[in-house]
Amino acid sequence: MSTALIEPRTARLQLRQWRAQDRDAFAAMVADPEVMRYFPAPLTRTQSDAMADKCEALIAERGWGIWAVERLADQQFIGLVGLHVPQPDLPFSPCVEIAWRLVQHAWHQGFATEAARAALTVGFGPLQLAEIVAFTTQTNTPSQAVMQRLGMERDSAGDFDHPALPAGHPLRPHVLYRLRAAHFGEPAERQAPPAPL
C-alpha cells in the first residue's frame, strides 16, 4: 500500500516532488566545487540525473524522501532537503537520516534550517519515527551548526569512519547527531546543562 504524497510547505519554501525542469539547476549545484566541498567529488551530469531520478522514485514509492526545495518568492529550485534511509553498512543502521544541500546563492538565509525543520515535522508527525539522525564529515562545521539549531545532539560515541571512503581519506571521519521525537521542538539550549556552581 503506497503512502500518500507528502509535500511540506513553510513560510518561504515548498518541499516537493522532483520535476524534469529541476535537473539543470540540480546538475549545476552538484557540479559546484564549493557546494560539494565536503563530499568526495562534484557530480557529473549523468550522476546528478541518476541521483535526482532516485530521489523522485523514492518519493513516488513512499510518499516522502529527499525533496526538491523551491523558494516560494520566485518559484526557483534552490536545493534538496529531506529524509532518507541510508546504506545498511553504517554502524548505527537501520535508521532514517535528515539531509540537505543548497545552491550557494541560498546560503546564510536560514533556508536549510527552515526546510529541515519541516522535514523533521513530517518524520515525527505522519511517519511517527522515534529518532532521526544526521551525519557529516568532521570538518563540515556549517552543517553541524544546522544540526545544533535543529536541537540535534552530538553522539560522540557514535562518531565513525564512513565505509564508502578509503582509509586515510580526509573526509572519512564523520560525526553523528541524533534527535528523538520526544525532544523535537525543544530549545537547542536544552543540550547544554548549566555549569556546576
Side-chain angles (χ1 to χ4, degrees), residues 124 129-132 178-184 190:
F124 294 131
L129 299 173
E131 181 182 70
I132 295 172
R178 299 178 183 270
L179 180 61
R180 295 196 60 79
H183 296 152
F184 178 53
R190 160 186 74 79

Side-chain angles (χ1 to χ4, degrees), residues 16 18 55-56 59 64-68 80-84 97 99:
R16 57 163 174 76
W18 291 70
C55 290
E56 182 178 354
I59 292 172
W64 55 273
I66 302 285
W67 292 282
L80 58 80
V81 175
L83 304 170
H84 179 63
E97 67 160 317

Side-chain angles (χ1 to χ4, degrees), residues 78-187:
I78 62 165
L80 58 80
V81 175
L83 304 170
H84 179 63
V85 179
Q87 60 194 77
D89 59 347
L90 296 177
F92 42 89
S93 288
C95 62
V96 173
E97 67 160 317
I98 185 164
W100 50 82
R101 204 176 310 175
L102 300 182
V103 297
Q104 278 202 65
H105 65 74
W107 292 0
H108 309 303
Q109 299 171 61
F111 289 137
T113 303
E114 182 176 329
R117 191 168 284 120
L120 291 172
T121 300
V122 172
F124 294 131
L127 304 186
Q128 298 186 317
L129 299 173
E131 181 182 70
I132 295 172
V133 303
F135 52 89
T136 189
T137 187
Q138 283 183 356
T139 54
N140 189 354
T141 52
S143 271
Q144 291 180 55
V146 174
M147 295 170 195
Q148 292 160 13
R149 284 194 290 273
L150 294 169
M152 306 189 86
E153 292 187 341
R154 171 85 177 270
D155 178 5
S156 297
D159 290 354
F160 67 103
D161 288 337
H162 202 293
L165 295 170
H169 194 290
L171 299 179
R172 193 171 194 233
H174 272 54
V175 297
L176 175 66
Y177 280 73
R178 299 178 183 270
L179 180 61
R180 295 196 60 79
H183 296 152
F184 178 53
E186 292 185 6

Side-chain angles (χ1 to χ4, degrees), residues 16 19 22 69-78:
R16 57 163 174 76
R19 299 172 184 162
D22 298 327
V69 180
E70 178 183 303
R71 185 167 48 206
L72 293 173
D74 56 8
Q75 289 79 53
Q76 187 171 358
F77 172 92
I78 62 165

